[in-house]
Amino acid sequence: MNIIVCVKQIPDPEAPPASFKIDPATNKVAPPPNIPPVISPFDEQAVEAALRIKDAGGAKITIISLGVNLLRDVVKKPLSMGADELILLEDPAFADGDSWATAYALAMAIKKVGAYDLILCGRQAADWDSGQVGSCIAEILGLPQITVAKKLEVRDGKVKVERVTADGYDVIEAGLPAVVTVSNELGTARYATIKGIMAAKRKEPIVWKPSDIGVETAKIGAAGRRVKMQKLFQPVREGKCEVITGENEEDAAANLAKKLAEVKLL
Amino acid sequence: MTDNKGVMIFTEVVDGKLAPIARELLGCGRKLAGELKEELSALLIGSGVAGVAAEATAYGADKVYVVDNELLKDYRTDAFVGVIEKVARQANPRILLLGQTSTGNDLAPRAAFRLGTAVTLDCVALEIDASSKLLLQTKPVYGGNARAIFTMDTLPQMATVRAKAMSALTPDSARKGEVVTVDAGLDAATIKTNLLQKVVQEVEGVKLEDASVIVSGGRGIGGPEGFKELEELAKLFKGAVGASRPPCDNGWVPTSIQIGLTGKVVSPEVYIAVAISGSSQHLAGCSGSKNIIAINRDAEANIFKEARFGVVGDWKKIIPAFQAKAKELLGK
Ligand SMILES: Cc1cc2nc3c(=O)[nH]c(=O)nc-3n(C[C@H](O)[C@H](O)[C@H](O)COP(=O)(O)OP(=O)(O)OC[C@H]3O[C@@H](n4cnc5c(N)ncnc54)[C@H](O)[C@@H]3O)c2cc1C
Ligand SMILES: Nc1ncnc2c1ncn2[C@@H]1O[C@H](COP(=O)(O)O)[C@@H](O)[C@H]1O
């Protein structure tokens, strides 16, 4: 059983909203100072899903991450959780792609890895919230896709997935190889173990450049974008909250009820 | 070069009727088609959906493509992508819109890449650029901290649209429209996934999407017992209970009541956020509420930036006192 998990390094999406800034000079998001980047949370859950399959029946887990300035401490986290290999597509030519350009490069890297039964992605990367790379990889490689998974089970050459829907879930099955994207309903990802951290320290990632995976450079990174960004801005919030007070909390609560009655919201 | 024209809406059907999002999309599509002076079409895919065509016309479609086939009874990616590809190649729309629903967000990317174009998911505004005539696609990014406007040169220009971001037209049953039946042309062998079971987790009482009052609890509620109190309060207002993500992740409440970027989008008259800090991802699902009321013990919590009224303090003291007074004022 060979599992490939695609993980993306992003600015911490749970950093306080007030720390979010756009650099007007470059029209890019300025990473918040003193808050290190993280692996996108859904991707960490995709790693967790792979580890659960490995726990249940054994598997080799290969992590692939595409980007620039990939901090080794960050991208090695899946290794410290229990993954086996780490491949980095690290080159400026790969950077700033849209989902399509990114998926094309990842799919070419996956082809080069060769052995894969299951490809896991997060449901969406928590920076651009694009939500497409998994489907694009599936389309490029001609594989079935199951998105927004909360539970996966591999048996007899098939993967059985519980896919989250608006009012419950669907149970869907596909033959392997297949692409599955993982959602937070899967449950929290495990912590790294001390043993895992030590092993991850010793393990050097494999770094591939565009020429290593035979991509057409016009189709990757910023050059390969089909979706063009015209503008990036922060919506202005009015922020005019009327704080209702009272002698104590109970009194303030009663005053809130009165206020709501007064403005006909009760 | 193909000559792409018109706006096409993939109209989802729920319980034999147009889904609310489909009506909203037709409303938005009508406007875009008007600006382009082109036609608005609806694409109905399913089994036994032909009867819904009249509704699509009433909500604004000039033409309705109907693909009715038993293999299309339930949503399956490969089958629906195949049908969209076929109809889009036949009809050549300039713009193709879908809902940001569990079907739309699975279907749209794959269909886009099959058609050699691209798609922007989860848009909240769509406009035609006056000079380029391109579709300007506004999408919240970075969990709602920012918005980006995207365009694409490839055709059809595709987007999915967030629930409640657009308004439906008042249906007009006198409107006339053309119905075009298209053969699904499906080969069952190309459908690579198998739907084994559909599990629906019924929520009692008022549906979140329809509620005019929502009482929503966050991590600070601390456990399932606290949500019982919120339920009582919601009942008093004939409203529904929602939650931020942590209570869902912790299993205190069903995941289907999560509100936010990756949960439900709601826009009630009154949204009472109890012990919710107001992360951008949560606000993505509730900032369309007419009045947000925040109850939080941290006066600096971000939720107060979005709220119209707020009380700073411990919800355990505030909720019972608020409920008692509200009951009295309501004469119950
Ligand atoms: C990609 C992505 C998608 C996400 N999607 C969603 C989503 O769809 N929906 C969502 O909600 N979140 C989502 N999140 C998570 C989000 O970032 C926040 O972590 C989450 O919304 C925080 O929930 P919270 O406000 O309940 O908890 P916290 O941020 O921990 O806030 C708890 C609040 O309760 C207050 N409090 C504690 N005790 C009391 C008390 N006794 N009385 C009064 N107040 C009290 C505290 O002051 C605090 O403000 C997403 C995150 C990512 C990265
Ligand atoms: N640069 C990247 N490197 C590795 N995986 C990625 C990258 N970008 C996206 N992915 C994967 O694709 C998923 C969806 O990304 P997106 O379509 O960009 O929202 C992510 O959750 C990752 O699993």
Side-chain angles (χ1 to χ4, degrees):
Chain A
M1 182 77 196
N2 289 293
I3 307 178
I4 293 178
V5 189
C6 299
V7 309
K8 185 177 190 187
Q9 173 184 297
I10 60 163
D12 188 345
E14 306 234 25
S19 69
F20 184 87
K21 295 269 159 9
I22 293 167
D23 180 350
T26 57
N27 202 27
K28 279 190 177 171
V29 175
N34 309 320
I35 304 177
V38 297
I39 298 242
S40 184
F42 299 121
D43 304 1
E44 229 172 84
Q45 275 148 336
V47 175
E48 173 64 30
L51 290 167
R52 288 182 193 172
I53 294 167
K54 182 175 174 176
D55 292 345
K60 179 180 178 199
I61 302 174
T62 302
I63 307 293
I64 307 185
S65 190
L66 172 152
V68 283
N69 304 323
L70 299 174
L71 301 185
R72 296 306 188 255
D73 278 352
V74 174
V75 290
K76 277 188 173 183
K77 186 168 178 195
L79 293 175
S80 61
M81 290 163 68
D84 301 286
E85 293 292 339
L86 175 62
I87 298 171
L88 302 179
L89 308 183
E90 198 178 28
D91 192 275
F94 287 126
D96 296 325
D98 58 8
S99 294
W100 167 249
T102 302
Y104 166 65
L106 288 170
M108 293 299 278
I110 291 167
K111 272 191 192 165
K112 173 155 171 158
V113 171
Y116 55 83
D117 302 294
L118 187 60
I119 299 166
L120 300 180
C121 288
R123 62 177 287 176
Q124 67 199 59
D127 49 1
W128 295 101
D129 294 314
S130 173
Q132 307 188 23
V133 164
S135 300
C136 303
I137 292 175
E139 178 69 12
I140 295 168
L141 298 177
L143 303 178
Q145 75 182 45
I146 306 175
T147 57
V148 202
K150 69 172 182 125
K151 193 169 171 204
L152 291 84
E153 228 176 77
V154 172
R155 201 183 297 152
D156 307 329
K158 286 183 181 156
V159 61
K160 194 165 111 184
V161 174
E162 290 180 9
R163 165 173 208 269
V164 182
T165 58
D167 51 7
Y169 60 92
D170 287 350
V171 186
I172 302 174
E173 192 177 65
L176 298 177
V179 177
V180 178
T181 78
V182 173
S183 188
N184 59 287
E185 288 84 351
L186 182 101
T188 347
R190 68 193 62 190
Y191 290 109
T193 59
I194 302 287
K195 196 169 142 246
I197 294 170
M198 298 306 288
K201 272 218 161 64
R202 284 191 300 270
K203 186 123 205 157
E204 274 317 303
I206 300 162
V207 180
W208 284 343
K209 298 285 169 191
S211 58
D212 294 318
I213 54 173
V215 286
E216 295 169 46
T217 43
K219 282 168 72 176
I220 58 168
R225 289 190 76 101
R226 288 181 182 179
V227 176
K228 314 250 166 24
M229 189 165 73
Q230 306 296 346
K231 199 172 161 192
L232 180 67
F233 61 101
Q234 277 182 274
V236 262
R237 308 217 185 278
E238 285 171 34
K240 265 187 275 168
C241 179
E242 183 178 335
V243 176
I244 311 289
T245 54
E247 280 169 26
N248 51 36
E249 284 159 303
E250 286 85 355
D251 191 37
N255 288 340
L256 173 65
K258 282 190 226 158
K259 183 80 198 181
L260 294 186
E262 204 181 296
V263 296
K264 305 219 157 30
L265 287 179
L266 210 59
Chain B
M1 273 301 285
T2 51
D3 190 16
N4 293 62
K5 269 205 170 58
V7 179
M8 179 180 278
I9 309 291
F10 168 69
T11 41
E12 281 180 57
V13 175
V14 175
D15 299 331
K17 283 202 296 221
L18 279 187
I21 182 75
R23 299 179 193 158
E24 293 162 21
L25 283 168
L26 285 168
C28 157
R30 190 69 261 163
K31 234 178 80 219
L32 298 175
E35 278 172 50
L36 291 165
K37 299 193 179 62
E38 291 174 3
E39 183 181 81
L40 175 66
S41 62
L43 170 53
L44 275 170
I45 305 179
S47 173
V49 292
V52 189
E55 204 188 344
T57 308
Y59 276 97
D62 300 313
K63 193 185 262 181
V64 185
Y65 293 90
V66 178
V67 189
D68 208 319
N69 186 298
E70 220 154 83
L71 285 173
L72 300 167
K73 182 171 158 286
D74 294 302
Y75 172 71
R76 279 176 302 172
T77 313
D78 300 315
F80 275 58
V81 170
V83 170
I84 291 223
E85 182 190 11
K86 185 173 178 198
V87 178
R89 289 202 194 285
Q90 176 182 331
N92 273 320
R94 181 192 298 278
I95 292 172
L96 173 55
L97 305 178
L98 301 86
Q100 175 70 7
T101 60
S102 48
T103 295
N105 63 24
D106 185 80
L107 174 58
R110 192 127 191 192
F113 302 117
R114 183 76 52 88
L115 288 166
T117 181
V119 58
T120 305
L121 299 195
D122 204 17
C123 293
V124 293
L126 295 173
E127 270 171 82
I128 305 289
D129 182 61
S131 59
S132 68
K133 295 276 176 263
L134 288 179
L135 181 68
L136 299 173
Q137 309 154 6
T138 305
K139 166 188 169 64
V141 294
Y142 283 83
N145 277 311
R147 286 184 175 197
I149 300 180
F150 294 110
T151 58
M152 57 196 65
D153 302 324
T154 50
L155 295 170
Q157 303 164 83
M158 286 179 64
T160 72
V161 175
R162 187 178 283 187
K164 307 196 179 212
M166 311 291 170
S167 329
L169 302 172
T170 314
D172 173 3
S173 54
R175 268 187 69 91
K176 294 258 172 317
E178 187 188 342
V179 175
V180 182
T181 308
V182 182
D183 179 56
L186 275 180
D187 172 1
T190 60
I191 304 173
K192 292 185 186 151
T193 54
N194 201 358
L195 178 67
L196 303 178
Q197 197 189 349
K198 278 187 94 63
V199 180
V200 175
Q201 294 162 329
E202 293 286 353
V203 182
E204 283 176 50
V206 190
K207 273 180 74 177
L208 264 176
E209 295 92 324
D210 306 333
S212 63
V213 177
I214 292 175
V215 182
S216 201
R219 197 198 308 269
I221 298 298
E225 311 75 36
F227 272 90
K228 297 244 155 62
E229 289 189 45
L230 300 189
E231 249 163 56
E232 271 183 46
L233 182 60
K235 257 194 209 131
L236 177 65
F237 297 136
K238 298 194 180 62
V241 172
S244 66
R245 196 168 96 181
C248 301
D249 281 353
N250 292 332
W252 305 341
V253 294
T255 51
S256 55
I257 69 165
Q258 178 182 318
I259 289 168
L261 182 66
T262 52
K264 295 214 152 71
V265 178
V266 296
S267 54
E269 207 51 43
V270 177
Y271 187 83
I272 309 180
V274 190
I276 291 177
S277 64
S279 68
S280 54
Q281 294 92 353
H282 183 74
L283 292 171
C286 66
S287 60
S289 308
K290 312 287 176 305
N291 300 279
I292 295 180
I293 292 153
I295 294 168
N296 197 302
R297 68 176 175 202
D298 172 11
E300 299 299 312
N302 197 58
I303 189 75
F304 288 114
K305 295 209 174 71
E306 288 283 326
R308 177 164 176 213
F309 300 110
V311 177
V312 179
D314 186 348
W315 71 267
K316 289 191 191 111
K317 296 207 177 109
I318 291 167
I319 292 297
F322 173 68
Q323 184 166 336
K325 189 73 191 175
K327 219 172 184 166
E328 181 194 315
L329 292 168
L330 288 167
K332 287 196 184 168

